[in-house]
Amino acid sequence: MVDAARPGTAMEPTLDPAERIILALDRPDAEAALALAAAVPELRWVKVGLELFTAAGPGVVRELRRRGLRVFLDLKFHDIPATMAGACRSAARLGAELITVHACAGSEALAAAQAAAEEGAAEEGLGAPTLLAVTVLTSWDPDRFRHELAIEPPLEAYAGQLAALAAAAGLTGAVCSPLEVARLRAAHPRPFALVTPGIRPAGSDAADQRRVMTPAQAVAAGASQLVIGRPISGAADPAAAFAACCAELG
């Protein structure tokens, strides 16, 4: 059972590679997601994203926590301030320790979300979660980003601008591609958390990710934690794939 009063450690550097890896449970239902989590005995952190949460709802978060796992709720909230605040309050009450919000929602919405998350956690006797500001999704490549969204600053500079906006609003972490980690880490020293998807062990298929690094490269660049999905979840032996990622970090 998870210790409800235990503060999160996502923002702190750790020597334990297993604490750095967040397994994305991108499965269509709770049964499949729980089976995947159970197949990796050394697992500490899991990500519940839009696909799983839409299918299974809050109950899967509660069950994962009951099994002793720490939850990154990756729903990327982006709405008006009152709605974002309500969503983050509810997410914090569930016990999610990492929660994503889109930085481009703006400073008012980010500040409201942060305050509400702290209130929601306190109502349940939990430690405050870390809100992670989503900067630029790892599926974008720089040329398409510029042309389709008509955003003038280069992708890397825009990600930095959004991370700075989030920090000024009181958030203590961001999500970025590993290619932006070094730049953001220089601007936001620890304990500011930088969580990176787009992680692909050497030899893995990048699939729909465009800006990727290996686990060791991302950590060396300054990443706090790594979100890894298909290289582990799609492996014939997920436990062995997880152990290989840990070994690379170790």
Side-chain angles (χ1 to χ4, degrees):
M1 182 71 176
V2 171
D3 178 0
R6 181 180 61 185
T9 59
M11 295 188 295
E12 299 297 331
T14 174
L15 297 177
D16 186 346
E19 284 286 346
R20 287 198 184 272
I21 297 174
I22 303 171
L23 176 59
L25 300 181
D26 294 330
R27 290 291 189 264
D29 55 58
E31 182 179 5
L34 294 170
L36 173 58
V40 186
E42 299 303 314
L43 190 61
R44 314 284 178 80
W45 283 89
V46 293
K47 178 180 82 75
V48 174
L50 285 168
E51 179 183 13
L52 177 57
F53 194 83
T54 301
V60 74
V61 176
R62 296 189 183 98
E63 178 59 21
L64 289 163
R65 293 191 70 245
R66 189 190 70 79
R67 296 185 181 200
L69 292 163
R70 306 178 75 177
V71 177
F72 170 20
L73 188 59
D74 185 25
L75 302 182
K76 300 182 178 69
F77 297 125
H78 184 184
D79 215 305
I80 62 173
T83 301
M84 279 182 63
C88 288
R89 179 180 290 106
S90 295
R93 293 186 67 181
L94 276 177
E97 295 184 61
L98 298 171
I99 301 167
T100 46
V101 294
H102 269 289
C104 57
S107 59
E108 183 181 351
L110 293 173
Q114 179 68 39
E118 293 173 5
E119 292 167 3
E123 289 168 4
E124 298 297 321
L126 302 171
T130 298
L131 263 58
L132 299 171
V134 177
T135 54
V136 179
L137 299 176
T138 53
S139 56
W140 284 107
D141 64 60
D143 288 340
R144 196 164 57 84
F145 178 81
R146 182 175 68 255
H147 291 133
E148 291 188 12
L149 299 186
I151 293 174
E152 285 301 319
L155 185 154
E156 295 82 1
Y158 187 67
Q161 180 179 337
L162 290 178
L165 176 70
L171 274 65
T172 55
V175 176
C176 62
S177 97
L179 274 64
E180 286 92 60
V181 167
R183 179 174 182 159
L184 295 188
R185 178 57 74 208
H188 303 280
R190 289 182 172 90
F192 195 86
L194 291 175
V195 177
T196 58
I199 302 299
R200 291 292 183 267
S204 296
D205 182 4
D208 55 357
Q209 303 285 5
R210 293 294 176 265
R211 303 186 331 278
V212 302
M213 279 186 180
T214 68
Q217 288 171 334
V219 169
S224 306
Q225 287 178 285
L226 315 174
V227 179
I228 305 178
R230 283 164 284 191
I232 296 174
S233 63
D237 185 343
F242 180 83
C245 290
C246 290
E248 180 179 335
L249 294 178

